[in-house]
Amino acid sequence: MRLPDWQTRFSRFGQERARAPFVWGTNDCCMHAAAAVEAITGTNPMAAFESYGTEAGPRRKALRRLLRQLDKVGGLQALVTAHMGEPIRPVMATVGDVVLVRNEGRELLAICNGVNAMGPGRDGMVSLSMQDALAAWRV
């Protein structure tokens, strides 16, 4: 359930992440989506993604664990579905919903901003076309 002040919290999230570079375990697509959901709802249904660690060794182990989990459940869409429930059609996504997007041949998580999906990029948040969305989850 969204908090009464979710729009302010979501706006603040966007401002904080606007120039944050992509970093595995800190600001990758899973961490980005999890942080956005937490900003909007106050809870993180994807808390399993929060185990990357901050040092290189533990982070690599956690990433390997995440990749094994992705293989085990059938990919990123299945993993997010396990944490957030059944997906909706991307055309039904509204501001703040989590979106699975195909970009440059890879699947990644982003957040719907109404027209596009926003996700972490090399030098900060990037805008991705909702036309490339494969699935979405209500927040």
Side-chain angles (χ1 to χ4, degrees):
M1 180 168 238
R2 293 180 184 214
L3 296 169
D5 64 340
W6 75 268
Q7 292 166 316
T8 301
R9 294 167 58 94
F10 184 62
S11 177
R12 193 175 324 127
F13 165 81
Q15 291 168 358
E16 291 169 358
R17 296 284 177 128
R19 299 199 191 290
F22 181 97
V23 177
W24 282 110
T26 305
N27 194 39
D28 57 45
C29 72
C30 292
M31 293 287 103
H32 180 84
V37 170
E38 189 165 16
I40 293 168
T41 67
T43 60
N44 185 348
M46 298 180 287
F49 295 131
E50 298 290 349
S51 61
Y52 289 64
T54 56
E55 296 180 27
R59 188 179 321 132
R60 276 195 295 272
K61 285 181 184 177
L63 285 171
R64 281 195 298 268
R65 191 168 49 250
L66 175 63
L67 292 174
R68 281 194 305 271
Q69 190 177 7
L70 285 171
D71 286 341
K72 184 178 178 181
V73 299
L76 189 55
Q77 181 170 342
L79 184 62
V80 176
T81 298
H83 291 277
M84 295 194 62
E86 288 300 313
I88 60 172
R89 293 190 344 238
V91 297
M92 302 300 291
T94 60
V95 174
D97 289 342
V98 175
V99 181
L100 179 66
V101 179
R102 182 174 302 282
N103 184 43
E104 297 179 1
R106 294 183 179 183
E107 291 183 0
L108 59 99
L109 297 178
I111 303 299
C112 180
N113 75 349
V115 178
N116 296 309
M118 305 304 289
R122 194 180 99 215
D123 299 316
M125 216 172 336
V126 295
S127 178
L128 305 164
S129 173
M130 283 296 291
Q131 291 181 342
D132 296 323
L134 305 170
W137 292 265
R138 287 268 187 241
V139 173

